Structure formats: C-alpha cells, structure tokens
Amino acid sequence: MGASLRLPSLTSLLFPATTRYPSSSLRRTCFLRNRPASSGFATAPSGTASPETKSDAERLRSSDQAVTPRSKDFNAWYLDIIASAELADYGPVRGTMVIRPYGYAIWEAIQEYLNVKFKETGHSNMYFPQFIPYSFIEKEASHVEGFSPELALVTVGGGKELEEKLVVRPTSETIVNHMFTQWIHSYRDLPLMINQWANVTRWELRTKPFIRTLEFLWQEGHTAHATPEEAEKEAKQMIDIYTRFAFEETAIPVIAGRKSRLETFAGADITYTIEAMMGDRKALQAGTSHNLGQNFSRAFETQFQDENGERQHVWQTSWAVSTRFVGGIIMTHGDDTGLMLPPKIAPIQVVIVPIWKKDTEKTGVLTAATSVKEALHTAGIRVKLDDAEQKTPGWKFNFWEMKGVPLRIEIGPRDVSSNCVVVSRRDIPGKAGKVFGISMEPSTLVAYVKEKLEEVQSSLLEKAVTFRDSNIVDVNSYDELKEAISSGKWARGPWCGSDSDEQRVKEETGATIRCFPFEQTGEAKTCLMTGNSAEEVAIFAKSY
C-alpha cells in the first residue's frame, strides 16, 4: 500500500546519479553538460538508492554532451536545460532532486508574489507537522483511496516498531481538520483561513525533475467557513489569484476551469484548475483549488455552533501550487539556447559583461560597469556584474543566455569613450536583439532598461498565447477528437459524457479532460461522444 522509509546505502550517497556542469566546456552554439546516457530521473522507478558505481559516476562526469535540440527530443532537452542552467541536481534516492540556488531563487520569486496575495486576502501562514497518523488518512474514504498508492509510511522510530504507522505528509487536509476541530467552536471563529509553505512526499513511480518527484515544495492553503457559498467563493478566488499570477508574472497563458468528476481531487466536491500548454503541447496542471464541501469536516467532526445555537459542520477549501511551476516556466519559454525567463520572475533581470583586451583598458571598463550596476540596482532592478576574469566574454554570453537572463549589457573600451552601452535581449536571438549606443547616463539607461524588460515580459506572453491558441482544435465528434490528439494538439469540444465515456477516451487516446473552461460560448451544443445536448465544452489533452 505504501513504502516504508529506508535510508539510502552509503555507496549511493558517495556516488549518486548526478549531473554536473563542466566549468570550461561551453561552445557558442552548443552549451555542453554532463548527463546520464539514460534519463533515469525521468523514467526509472522511484524510491531506490541510485545504483551507479564509482566507475559509472566517473564516466558520467567525463562525458561531455551537447544540449539536445527541443525539436529532436523534448524530454532530453528539458533535462539538459535543468543541469546546464544549474537549476537542480539528482538526489541520492532515485526520484528525488536537489534544488540548486538558481532554481530555488525562481521558487522564491513565486513565493514572494503569492505570499503577498494570500495575506491581502486574509490568510495567515503557519506550519503543520509532516508526520501524520495513518488513522487520519483512513477517516475520509475517497481520500485514502486516492492517495494510498503514493503514501510513504514510517513504521520504525528510535529503533522501535511504532504502535501506529505514520504517513509522511502527502497533503494536509487530515491533520488540518484534526487541529481545526480543536480551534473552531463558534461561528465567531469563522472563517479560519491559513496557508503553509512546506514539503510533501508522494511515492511516484515515474518521476521528472520539478514536474513529478517523490518530494516537492509547495504552498497549501486551508480554509473553513460557515456556509457553502463562502467556501465556493473562496475556492474560486484562489484559482483566480493563480490565474493572474500565471499570466502576469510567469507569462504562461493558462486556461482556468473545473475538473471533471474523474479528475477531481480525492475528497473534494469540486476541483478548479489552471492548465498550461508546454512547448511539446502537453498539458501541465499548474495549480488547483478545491471546494471540499463538508467531506473532511464530517469525517473529523469539525463543527461550530451557529448563530441559532445549532451545531453545524464547517465548509472547507484547500488550494496549492508547487515547484512544478518552475518546470512549467522552463517548458513554456525555453529554447535550444537554454532558459528564457520572464523578467518579473527572473532572479537576475540584467547581467553586465565588461569587455577588455589590454590591462590599460580594464580599470576604465570596470569603473563604468560598476557605475551602471549601481544605477540599475538603485532603481530596483535585479542586476549582476560578471567581472570574473577566468572566463571570456563569449563564454559569459553563452552562460547567461543558458540561465535565461532577460537582458545583457555589454561594456567595452569604445563604449566607455562614447559613454554608451550595448543591450541584448534574450528573447530575440542574434543581432536582431542587440541595440548599440544606449546612453550610460543613469536616468536614460534606467528608463530604457525598464522599458525593455516590460517588452520582453509582454513578448513572451504574446508568443505563448499564439502557440497555445494555434494548437487547440475545436472538435464536434469523437473521430475528430482522436485525430486532434494523435496530431499532438489539444481538443476542445462539447461534452456531457459519463465517467465510463471519459475513461474510454483516456484508454484509447491517452488524453484526459483537462478542464471545463470557465469561458464558455453559451451556445447550444451536441456532445461529441453521445450526441446528446451538452451545456459545456471540455478540453482534452495528453498531460504530465
């Protein structure tokens, strides 16, 4: 049912399945990296210590391979980018990952935005233990059924068999309700609205860094309300926050809507979702918000005394986004050169590369570069001056392009003489994205850089919207749906089919109903599967 936690072997800790970034192996058109010959992270069964021997590890670290083109092998390209851009590395237990500083900085940017929004809407941060009694999970029938295959169980603690096995937190609805029952007594205690930033563990059989790993980071909000109307309003409010975050901060044009019954979260009445189209046209469930109704409050007897003195069960919601969003950013915007980060989410918005050949030029160039950095930093722009002398300017260009920095400023001796700089945009390759003769005067340069950052942000969203819309096909029959899915596109069509009809689509095409979009035409429709009248259109797609 679950998997007891075991420590990895000493051999696996010393020689894990790792990826390493070679310090001096960049080429202009092909950023080199070391990666396993097979994508074990993405396809191997999880939960076992990495099997590589010392010789295997040495072989992997000495075998330089180019970043795979997206068009050739999207999955290999994705893994290459994560390693080369220094976002994450393999953990010693297969299916886990170590999030490196640059990858974590993207997650911090996500946290910073959402934390503000959560608090603006009345939520407070707190923390719940990661160990949950197994009996808690069993209290809500559909919940335990939905999560049992993914549970990690602790059966031994302190060298002794535990009286009750513990679940390593897969999600917190059960333990939250246990505590809510102790804190909620009267209608005056409602609404109770909290959020926690935490890690969760789900024993996935097929893993992919950031997208699906044994352990990942997320935020999970939990609220309790006096009426079903309040709970529904809350669930929709949070999916709206996620939607705006996706569009405005990450430039990912998600489609918001309601999940089908088969795809609804285990223990929820309704699940709302934001679905994003990745560069390979697969769907990514980027965030969810659940109206839990009274399912958990009845299981845990979470009640309050209403204004009439009667005992009522609370109405609840839960909602979450995770480090999966980092993977979504990579797969939406990245290209064969590397990451392409939207400026609002980029840890570094501008990198300055000073260029000189003679020692007599060095001082003047570095002085000018430092002055530019200070001007941008003072203006609130996240800027880095790469003044390392061990690497060539060309190496630095490639390196920061791989890391997706939106703008690059180049300063050489001639630029110092003319009091100007060269500015290159990451989203426009080559000379087309390079502008010469931008004044170094602080007010002029700051205004120009801010304008270009806004243009890059808008350009990435516009490009993603165009890609998404050009890959959604409107269908009116099951044959048309199958044709759309087989061609790698999303299918959008009228639907009122049963659960068995939906299961048939999944088995025959590999696609699932991603959502019933909030935006509906309102026109009379005929179900593509049954031929009966349908009130809504659904979107079908293969997904991660």
Side-chain angles (χ1 to χ4, degrees), residues 161 238 272 311 340 443 445 526 544:
E161 194 81 21
M238 302 320 294
Y272 299 112
R311 300 292 294 172
M340 198 179 298
S443 61
L445 182 60
T526 301
Y544 282 102

Side-chain angles (χ1 to χ4, degrees), residues 199-265:
N199 62 332
V200 294
T201 298
R202 296 180 183 177
W203 217 261
E204 301 282 0
L205 296 180
R206 299 285 176 179
T207 57
K208 188 181 185 74
F210 288 112
I211 300 303
R212 195 178 298 279
T213 49
L214 263 67
E215 179 190 8
F216 55 90
L217 305 179
W218 74 351
Q219 59 73 210
E220 52 176 320
H222 298 273
T223 66
H225 305 269
T227 68
E229 292 79 14
E230 289 178 15
E232 177 67 3
K233 181 179 178 181
E234 167 75 5
K236 285 188 172 179
Q237 172 184 247
M238 302 320 294
I239 206 65
D240 181 60
I241 287 176
Y242 292 158
T243 302
R244 283 187 281 118
F245 164 71
F247 272 89
E248 297 172 7
E249 299 295 306
T250 69
I252 299 178
V254 296
I255 295 177
R258 185 187 80 257
K259 283 289 190 184
S260 69
R261 187 163 50 196
L262 286 184
E263 296 291 320
T264 294
F265 174 73

Side-chain angles (χ1 to χ4, degrees), residues 432-544:
K434 184 171 287 195
V435 179
F436 297 84
I438 305 302
S439 173
M440 239 186 254
E441 198 280 320
S443 61
T444 301
L445 182 60
V446 167
Y448 181 85
V449 166
K450 286 186 174 181
E451 179 185 0
K452 292 304 158 187
L453 289 174
E454 290 178 1
E455 287 182 12
V456 172
Q457 185 80 26
S458 298
S459 173
L460 290 178
L461 177 59
E462 182 179 348
K463 181 180 178 182
V465 169
T466 299
F467 179 79
R468 181 200 67 183
D469 291 349
S470 65
N471 285 289
I472 298 177
V473 178
D474 286 308
V475 299
N476 292 294
S477 70
Y478 187 37
D479 285 341
E480 290 179 357
L481 183 149
K482 288 189 287 187
E483 182 180 350
I485 298 301
S486 66
S487 67
K489 296 179 180 290
W490 290 18
R492 178 174 54 204
W495 184 263
C496 68
S498 64
D499 291 352
S500 60
D501 290 331
E502 184 178 344
Q503 187 63 32
R504 177 188 170 191
V505 173
K506 183 175 182 179
E507 292 172 354
E508 295 181 358
T509 71
T512 56
I513 293 180
R514 303 317 305 159
C515 69
F516 293 92
F518 290 145
E519 294 186 8
Q520 296 278 337
T521 63
E523 300 173 356
K525 311 170 188 70
T526 301
C527 177
L528 65 89
M529 178 68 82
T530 67
N532 297 326
S533 176
E535 296 181 356
E536 298 175 294
V537 297
I539 290 180
F540 296 79
K542 293 183 178 180
S543 66
Y544 282 102

Side-chain angles (χ1 to χ4, degrees), residues 198-392:
N199 62 332
V200 294
T201 298
R202 296 180 183 177
W203 217 261
E204 301 282 0
L205 296 180
R206 299 285 176 179
T207 57
K208 188 181 185 74
F210 288 112
I211 300 303
R212 195 178 298 279
T213 49
L214 263 67
E215 179 190 8
F216 55 90
L217 305 179
W218 74 351
Q219 59 73 210
E220 52 176 320
H222 298 273
T223 66
H225 305 269
T227 68
E229 292 79 14
E230 289 178 15
E232 177 67 3
K233 181 179 178 181
E234 167 75 5
K236 285 188 172 179
Q237 172 184 247
M238 302 320 294
I239 206 65
D240 181 60
I241 287 176
Y242 292 158
T243 302
R244 283 187 281 118
F245 164 71
F247 272 89
E248 297 172 7
E249 299 295 306
T250 69
I252 299 178
V254 296
I255 295 177
R258 185 187 80 257
K259 283 289 190 184
S260 69
R261 187 163 50 196
L262 286 184
E263 296 291 320
T264 294
F265 174 73
D269 283 353
I270 305 171
T271 290
Y272 299 112
T273 182
I274 51 174
E275 300 290 325
M277 182 182 289
M278 300 295 94
D280 60 352
R281 299 182 293 188
K282 283 187 179 179
L284 182 75
Q285 179 179 288
T288 51
S289 179
H290 315 291
N291 184 336
L292 303 176
Q294 294 180 313
N295 297 324
F296 286 93
S297 64
R298 290 185 182 279
F300 283 81
E301 289 300 315
T302 312
Q303 295 180 304
F304 69 100
Q305 188 175 57
D306 65 19
E307 295 183 30
N308 299 318
E310 305 225 353
R311 300 292 294 172
Q312 304 282 353
H313 290 94
V314 298
W315 300 82
Q316 293 177 267
T317 76
S318 66
W319 27 273
V321 297
S322 72
T323 39
R324 168 175 280 217
F325 235 115
V326 179
I329 293 167
I330 299 167
M331 291 195 288
T332 299
H333 303 301
D335 62 12
D336 288 350
T337 306
L339 284 175
M340 198 179 298
L341 295 177
K344 290 185 179 181
I345 211 78
I348 300 170
Q349 295 172 311
V350 179
V351 62
I352 303 169
V353 178
I355 304 169
W356 71 87
K357 291 183 178 179
K358 303 175 182 178
D359 288 341
T360 54
E361 300 169 336
K362 175 180 175 181
T363 300
V365 169
L366 286 179
T367 298
T370 300
S371 177
V372 168
K373 175 190 174 183
E374 291 175 353
L376 296 178
H377 177 73
T378 300
I381 296 167
R382 297 187 290 279
V383 58
K384 178 177 177 60
L385 169 59
D386 188 349
D387 56 1
E389 298 184 34
Q390 298 83 5
K391 306 297 181 185
T392 65

Side-chain angles (χ1 to χ4, degrees), residues 8-63:
S9 68
L10 182 60
T11 301
S12 71
L13 287 172
L14 291 174
F15 308 112
T18 56
T19 55
R20 288 292 180 267
Y21 168 71
S23 59
S24 60
S25 54
L26 269 178
R27 298 175 187 161
R28 181 62 189 162
T29 59
C30 148
F31 194 102
L32 299 183
R33 68 180 290 270
N34 298 320
R35 66 179 174 87
S38 62
S39 304
F41 203 141
T43 61
S46 61
T48 57
S50 301
E52 284 70 26
T53 64
K54 183 175 181 179
S55 61
D56 290 331
E58 289 173 344
R59 175 178 57 78
L60 293 177
R61 291 166 186 161
S62 63
S63 173

